[in-house]
Amino acid sequence: MGSSSDKLFNRERTLHEILGGGIVADVMLWRKKNVSVGIVTVTIASWMVFEAFAYTIFTLISSVLLLLLSILFLWSKSASILNRPSPPLPEFQISEAMAEEASIWLRIHVNKLLQVSYDIAMGRDAELYTKVAISLFLISLIGSLMDFQTLCHTSVLVVMAVPAFYERYEDYIDGSLVIICNKVRELYLRFEILAFSEKEKLS
């Protein structure tokens, strides 16, 4: 294992710690193989069902909810007729505290998004603009290549494959990425120096 200077972003924590160190990290890194295999199998099977029967996500959700509500409705009616207990369902209700917490979380993140957008629009952070522009371009490119359902299934498979692959070949990947990042940073500094010199000439 290399030193922290050889790691991407000079990090000292392990990948398992970065992913939260809990059950989710164990599943993503295939330390709970049964669960990981189950997630991958269900993802592939559901994708095949969507493709074979031309289902959409809304059609599937509507069908499942209709089936579930019909079963519960018939269960309740038959229970009242046969003097049997009703379905053991809790009362679904969103508390005021939960609503306030969700609104606070939403307000904080929306304000962050607006602040980032304002900084980019005012030309205050060229590096942030570059990152956002590249991210939006990649999202647009991916969206033109596949529909939303395929994107969701592919994302699950990527999440289940990339972290485990990275953990296995961490030293090699980090070394290559550090070299690439240094090259990109060097090119960016050269561009800034060139832009500054051109600005000085014009002034």
Side-chain angles (χ1 to χ4, degrees):
M1 192 71 66
S3 62
S4 60
S5 60
D6 297 328
K7 300 295 182 184
L8 193 63
F9 307 121
N10 293 326
R11 59 181 176 81
E12 296 182 356
R13 295 190 300 168
T14 63
L15 181 60
H16 187 264
E17 293 172 342
I18 293 174
L19 294 175
I23 298 177
V24 175
D26 291 337
V27 172
M28 291 175 64
L29 297 176
W30 290 73
R31 298 183 182 180
K32 292 184 178 294
K33 291 188 177 181
N34 292 336
V35 179
S36 301
V37 170
I39 291 175
V40 172
T41 303
V42 169
T43 301
I44 295 175
S46 62
W47 179 79
M48 293 177 66
V49 167
F50 280 126
E51 291 297 317
F53 298 101
Y55 265 97
T56 64
I57 187 66
F58 296 109
T59 305
L60 179 64
I61 292 175
S62 300
S63 301
V64 171
L65 288 176
L66 177 61
L67 179 62
L68 180 61
L69 289 175
S70 299
I71 292 173
L72 292 174
F73 177 80
L74 294 174
W75 185 354
S76 298
K77 285 297 183 182
S78 61
S80 61
I81 295 174
L82 301 174
N83 292 324
R84 298 285 185 178
S86 298
L89 291 176
E91 184 178 354
F92 299 104
Q93 189 175 17
I94 298 176
S95 65
E96 185 176 349
M98 291 174 60
E100 289 181 357
E101 187 176 345
S103 64
I104 292 172
W105 180 88
L106 182 62
R107 179 178 61 83
I108 291 173
H109 285 77
V110 169
N111 285 336
K112 286 182 179 179
L113 178 62
L114 293 175
Q115 184 62 47
V116 168
S117 302
Y118 181 79
D119 290 341
I120 293 175
M122 297 302 293
R124 294 178 179 175
D125 197 334
E127 186 176 357
L128 180 60
Y129 164 76
T130 304
K131 292 178 180 178
V132 172
I134 292 174
S135 300
L136 292 176
F137 173 76
L138 291 176
I139 292 173
S140 175
L141 180 63
I142 294 172
S144 65
L145 297 175
M146 62 183 71
D147 57 21
F148 182 72
Q149 289 176 188
T150 305
L151 178 61
C152 290
H153 287 92
T154 305
S155 299
V156 173
L157 295 178
V158 169
V159 167
M160 295 302 299
V162 171
F165 179 82
Y166 174 77
E167 186 184 44
R168 185 169 184 177
Y169 301 102
E170 185 175 354
D171 292 336
Y172 302 104
I173 296 173
D174 277 350
S176 301
L177 290 178
V178 166
I179 293 173
I180 294 173
C181 287
N182 289 336
K183 291 291 184 181
V184 171
R185 192 177 293 112
E186 182 181 343
L187 290 174
Y188 178 76
L189 289 175
R190 288 182 180 178
F191 172 77
E192 275 198 333
I193 293 172
L194 181 62
F196 180 77
S197 61
E198 291 293 330
K199 186 177 179 181
E200 287 291 322
K201 289 179 182 179
L202 292 175
S203 60

